[in-house]
Amino acid sequence: NAGVTQTPKFQVLKTGQSMTLQCAQDMNHEYMSWYRQDPGMGLRLIHYSVGAGITDQGEVPNGYNVSRSTTEDFPLRLLSAAPSQTSVYFCASSYPPGQGATEAFFGQGTRLTVV
Amino acid sequence: GQNIDQPTEMTATEGAIVQINCTYQTSGFNGLFWYQQHAGEAPTFLSYNVLDGLEEKGRFSSFLSRSKGYSYLLLKELQMKDSASYLCAVRDGRGYNQGGKLIFGQGTELSVKP
């Protein structure tokens, strides 16, 4: 009963370093998304995918890359970390509308600090 | 443009009823969701409305008026554990291969006092 699993839970990076945030789901969901959450800003969509091999940009994509080679995995890559990317990152997955329950299920989050 | 508005914070008393409002303006509409988020945790799904009217789920109810771009979440018999942030999210019906992107409001921080 894993649901959506994100790793790592905490990370500290130096400015300019790169890293990959991992996200995996075992519910066979087609839709997967990455959000960042900052105080007073709500959840903002970074990138999303509607299926393996298909990705697109959300509201705040700059500085991030994604790929979707399998249904289960949707990693988020920070190319060159900046202090402005200090945030809590959430991965979410769901079925497309019209295919059963369509609420998004969220991972536990990755708390990233860039110094 | 896309805009979702909720009050930033609310306070209520244990055992009481509280209503959290959400107004939205989006390019399209393909459903409205309410999520609960405790501090330091992930959001968890509470309710979903796609047609006008009231959806009831135990102590929680959610109402939608599409013509007014308005929803509310009603919490009855408040308990201390209901202290959390409540997020309103609209699926705008465009993008996401026409399934709609999920757009979130900034969340309402609810404090339940004894």
Side-chain angles (χ1 to χ4, degrees):
Chain A
N1 229 21
V4 181
T5 303
Q6 285 184 239
T7 55
K9 288 190 169 51
F10 300 93
Q11 182 71 49
V12 178
L13 285 180
K14 292 183 179 176
T15 297
Q17 284 184 316
S18 63
M19 79 160 294
T20 300
L21 280 62
Q22 301 292 344
C23 176
Q25 53 93 8
D26 61 0
M27 297 173 282
N28 205 31
H29 286 163
E30 292 177 46
Y31 280 15
M32 294 188 76
S33 312
W34 276 101
Y35 294 87
R36 60 178 290 173
Q37 187 173 37
D38 303 294
M41 302 286 289
L43 286 157
R44 291 184 292 168
L45 183 63
I46 304 171
H47 284 287
Y48 63 91
S49 169
V50 298
I54 308 169
T55 64
D56 206 345
Q57 297 180 349
E59 305 167 71
V60 287
N62 293 339
Y64 308 94
N65 264 0
V66 291
S67 60
R68 183 109 178 260
S69 55
T70 66
T71 300
E72 295 78 20
D73 299 298
F74 191 42
L76 178 73
R77 281 181 289 278
L78 279 70
L79 309 171
S80 177
S84 61
Q85 293 178 304
T86 293
S87 188
V88 181
Y89 291 85
F90 287 101
C91 177
S93 73
S94 69
Y95 289 115
Q99 293 186 19
T102 59
E103 71 268 25
F105 292 82
F106 286 83
Q108 287 304 301
T110 296
R111 282 146 187 82
L112 176 69
T113 302
V114 183
V115 298
Chain B
Q2 319 273 50
N3 195 43
I4 300 178
D5 281 322
Q6 317 176 222
T8 304
E9 51 189 26
M10 300 182 71
T11 303
T13 305
E14 193 175 15
I17 300 172
V18 71
Q19 178 175 311
I20 302 174
N21 296 324
C22 172
T23 58
Y24 64 89
Q25 287 179 304
T26 55
S27 309
F29 181 83
N30 194 15
L32 186 144
F33 297 81
W34 284 95
Y35 285 84
Q36 181 190 59
Q37 186 178 26
H38 285 102
E41 297 183 7
T44 55
F45 170 73
L46 285 178
S47 71
Y48 171 63
N49 296 71
V50 65
L51 299 176
D52 290 352
L54 190 68
E55 293 284 339
E56 297 188 79
K57 221 189 234 188
R59 295 190 298 115
F60 296 81
S61 304
S62 57
F63 172 83
L64 174 67
S65 168
R66 288 172 298 170
S67 62
K68 294 184 173 141
Y70 169 68
S71 173
Y72 67 72
L73 180 69
L74 195 71
L75 292 77
K76 303 175 191 173
E77 302 168 16
L78 279 172
Q79 302 175 9
M80 299 297 289
K81 67 178 182 180
D82 297 329
S83 292
S85 184
Y86 291 86
L87 312 177
C88 173
V90 173
R91 194 157 54 201
D92 71 358
R94 297 176 66 175
Y96 254 81
N97 279 12
Q98 308 314 310
K101 296 180 186 177
L102 202 56
I103 304 164
F104 283 83
Q106 76 272 29
T108 298
E109 193 68 39
L110 174 66
S111 297
V112 180
K113 308 286 186 191

